[in-house]
Amino acid sequence: MAEMPESHPEGSGRKSREYGKGASNGAARKEPVRPGDLQLMEAVVARKNLLDAYSQVMSNKGSSGVDEMPVEQLMPYLQEHWAQIKADLLEGAYQPQAVRCVEIPKPNGGVRQLGIPTVLDRFIQQALHQVLSPLFEPNFSKSSYGFRPGRSAQQAVTAARKYVAEGRRWVVDLDLEKFFDRVNHDILMSRLARRISDKRVLGLIRRYLQAGLMKGGVMSQRVEGTPQGGPLSPLLSNTLLDEMDKELERRGHKFCRYADDCNIYVQSRSAGERVMKSVTKFLSERLRLKVNVEKSAVARPWERKFLGYSMTWHKQPRLKVAPESIKRLKAKVRNIFRIGRGRSISKVIKDLNLLLQGWSQYFRLAEVKGIFEELDGWIRRKLRCLLWWQWKRNFTRAKNLMQRGVDESRAWKSATNGRGAWWNSGASHMNEAFPKSFFDRMGLTTLLDRQLEFQFSM
């Protein structure tokens, strides 16, 4: 590829959270191009910026777009075609390809629509993101936490608890209806144009917004929305919603926003209802966005969830895992057991550990620990249930119980009791044969132990 070396530091980038892959945390620390400088596109195609973008795309991996090109083929393709692609970008003539529509189920029902760009367009979007992020990032609100370098969901949850502890014991929980599908292109472009004067960059972003959506072999044109799935989408959504952030700050509100999930903390129900009404009007009139009335509410913070967490009603509230998050975890665990019926217990535990370690890491701030002990016991019972189901025959069950130290008479009585697998998994003979120490030796992640480790390390 023109102006790029033969070897590249693949994997040096850092993966970003769900809802699209963004630039690495270091991107926002680069020296920004001045808003009045017309050389933004030259900065986008600069060699160092391209190398960083390539490393990030390779690190993020991801599935192929409509052209079915995997990330491993990106470099050979660029080596052959980059000279023409670069010329098109500099002339303002580059045309993005359509994005591939992928629908994933939402935790509370319905589907979330993702738009997966081709690998080439992810590469160009990443290069754009790395140049544009330093222009916008320093001016974003301190109360915005989503898809920003050095910021996280845990920081947003901690700030929310602080506001409640200060006496703001009512929350205006805003849910924007299909936000990523409803973004008005003209309004978004006008906000971008406040800091970008290079018309080639603005034109390229608009073409990305309007790129066709391929679904089931049929391509449709887009007149609104910024589909999740590309590196540029989080920056564009933050740019648009920053106007709401600035309005809330102007009014003196305390709030936390993570992407399109926003909670505003007030001192009374009446204040909350006034805020709900005025903010709904602002979003509708200024940003052409609609608040989902059914999912939004003015309520007590401990009656709602925020980023998977909830909190207790105490004067100094404690963070806890929201009931909906527990239900989602159990659903994922059940799915692992469904596909693991014919697999060894060690392989099932390996899959469980991948899930449990990530889940416990995310909920490391939870201060109400009882649920972790309860989940640990439930998971061990599921494993005992799997073992009982796999044994199938009475003879096999009796033999395995005896091998695990249960006396012969009791083993045969248990094996022939006629009860189902779930009942036996909770019975004393299976608990005696397969105690917690057995699963500890198998390497099963224990949620309670990990929470205690997090607590002592903080």
Side-chain angles (χ1 to χ4, degrees):
M1 182 171 66
E3 300 184 5
M4 289 183 71
E6 295 181 0
S7 61
H8 309 278
E10 295 184 14
S12 61
R14 178 181 175 184
K15 291 185 180 180
S16 64
R17 194 174 173 269
E18 129 185 60
Y19 296 125
K21 312 265 191 311
S24 63
N25 286 356
R29 294 192 293 271
K30 294 179 181 178
E31 186 65 27
V33 180
R34 294 184 301 276
D37 192 341
L38 293 180
Q39 305 306 308
L40 269 178
M41 188 60 81
E42 279 72 14
V44 171
V45 300
R47 178 174 175 274
K48 176 63 167 64
N49 189 56
L50 294 175
L51 287 172
D52 290 345
Y54 177 81
S55 294
Q56 191 68 32
V57 170
M58 294 302 294
S59 174
N60 287 337
K61 303 291 183 185
S63 57
S64 57
V66 295
D67 62 355
E68 299 184 353
M69 180 194 294
V71 292
E72 292 78 12
Q73 292 182 16
L74 177 59
M75 179 51 65
Y77 184 87
L78 291 175
Q79 288 172 336
E80 183 176 352
H81 300 285
W82 177 246
Q84 183 59 54
I85 295 169
K86 179 180 178 181
D88 289 344
L89 288 169
L90 290 173
E91 292 170 8
Y94 178 80
Q95 291 291 337
Q97 295 187 64
V99 297
R100 179 169 64 89
C101 179
V102 176
E103 293 182 341
I104 59 175
K106 289 183 177 180
N108 299 320
V111 295
R112 174 176 289 114
Q113 185 171 276
L114 301 183
I116 309 300
T118 63
V119 177
L120 173 61
D121 282 323
R122 292 209 295 272
F123 169 66
I124 295 172
Q125 284 193 35
Q126 181 65 35
L128 268 172
H129 185 286
Q130 292 168 179
V131 170
L132 296 181
S133 182
L135 285 179
F136 291 89
E137 177 63 34
N139 298 288
F140 285 155
S141 168
K142 293 181 179 179
S143 296
S144 166
Y145 296 89
F147 310 111
R148 297 183 59 193
R151 290 177 167 262
S152 67
Q154 285 80 6
Q155 290 175 335
V157 170
T158 300
R161 176 180 57 183
K162 174 175 174 286
Y163 294 145
V164 176
E166 290 173 347
R168 297 174 178 85
R169 296 174 68 81
W170 289 88
V171 61
V172 181
D173 188 352
L174 287 173
D175 183 276
L176 298 181
E177 188 172 292
K178 296 183 178 179
F179 167 71
F180 288 95
D181 299 331
R182 299 278 176 83
V183 169
N184 183 285
H185 290 174
D186 292 335
I187 292 177
L188 174 57
M189 292 307 302
S190 70
R191 276 38 174 190
L192 293 169
R194 293 173 180 175
R195 303 193 66 79
I196 301 173
S197 53
D198 192 325
K199 296 188 182 301
R200 298 168 298 177
V201 172
L202 291 171
L204 179 59
I205 294 174
R206 183 176 280 275
R207 289 193 292 277
Y208 271 122
L209 290 172
Q210 296 176 339
L213 186 69
M214 185 72 74
K215 181 179 180 181
V218 178
M219 188 175 74
S220 58
Q221 294 300 317
R222 285 187 290 141
V223 295
E224 63 179 1
T226 170
Q228 303 171 70
L232 207 52
S233 179
L235 178 64
L236 298 181
S237 61
N238 273 333
T239 299
L240 182 64
L241 290 176
D242 185 63
E243 186 154 345
M244 178 182 73
D245 298 342
K246 293 299 192 291
E247 178 66 16
L248 293 175
E249 289 177 342
R250 187 186 68 79
R251 299 181 186 183
H253 290 308
K254 300 297 183 182
F255 67 98
C256 300
R257 182 177 67 79
Y258 193 100
D260 58 334
D261 197 346
C262 183
N263 277 7
I264 307 167
Y265 296 89
V266 295
Q267 294 180 327
S268 67
R269 175 183 284 278
S270 58
E273 290 172 348
R274 287 196 302 271
V275 170
M276 175 69 82
K277 184 177 179 179
S278 62
V279 172
T280 298
K281 181 180 180 182
F282 173 85
L283 288 168
S284 175
E285 294 180 354
R286 291 285 294 274
L287 301 181
R288 306 280 179 87
L289 296 173
K290 185 178 179 181
V291 172
N292 188 324
V293 177
E294 292 182 358
K295 294 184 178 180
S296 301
V298 177
R300 295 293 195 178
W302 46 90
E303 296 171 349
R304 307 292 291 180
K305 67 178 178 65
F306 181 49
L307 301 177
Y309 282 85
S310 186
M311 61 182 75
T312 66
W313 52 266
H314 300 91
K315 186 174 182 180
Q316 293 297 321
R318 294 183 296 160
L319 294 174
K320 63 179 184 178
V321 183
E324 293 90 338
S325 301
I326 297 167
K327 287 176 61 177
R328 289 200 295 271
L329 174 67
K330 285 189 170 184
K332 292 177 180 178
V333 169
R334 288 189 182 101
N335 186 57
I336 290 175
F337 280 102
R338 261 194 302 271
I339 63 178
R341 284 194 166 187
R343 304 167 66 198
S344 69
I345 195 75
S346 60
K347 290 183 178 179
V348 173
I349 287 176
K350 183 178 179 181
D351 289 345
L352 281 172
N353 284 346
L354 290 175
L355 171 64
L356 298 177
Q357 288 166 10
W359 193 85
S360 61
Q361 173 68 24
Y362 182 81
F363 288 105
R364 64 186 182 275
L365 297 183
E367 298 160 292
V368 180
K369 307 293 185 183
I371 188 58
F372 297 103
E373 185 174 10
E374 180 183 324
L375 286 170
D376 283 335
W378 177 76
I379 291 169
R380 288 193 295 271
R381 183 171 179 179
K382 292 287 287 183
L383 286 165
R384 296 184 188 105
C385 182
L386 178 63
L387 287 168
W388 190 265
W389 185 90
Q390 287 180 339
W391 293 343
K392 296 184 183 298
R393 297 169 57 207
N394 291 342
F395 174 79
T396 306
R397 290 168 176 167
K399 182 186 71 171
N400 287 329
L401 286 173
M402 286 186 283
Q403 287 178 347
R404 294 295 306 165
V406 179
D407 67 77
E408 182 176 357
S409 174
R410 187 180 177 204
W412 277 106
K413 183 178 179 180
S414 300
T416 58
N417 61 27
R419 301 277 191 167
W422 184 247
W423 186 92
N424 278 283
S425 66
S428 60
H429 54 270
M430 284 297 284
N431 279 272
E432 180 183 323
F434 297 94
K436 178 181 181 297
S437 59
F438 170 82
F439 297 109
D440 290 341
R441 289 193 299 271
M442 292 288 292
L444 177 66
T445 293
T446 305
L447 293 174
L448 181 60
D449 290 346
R450 282 181 63 86
Q451 289 303 307
L452 294 175
E453 289 173 8
F454 292 139
Q455 178 179 334
F456 290 122
S457 64
M458 291 174 63

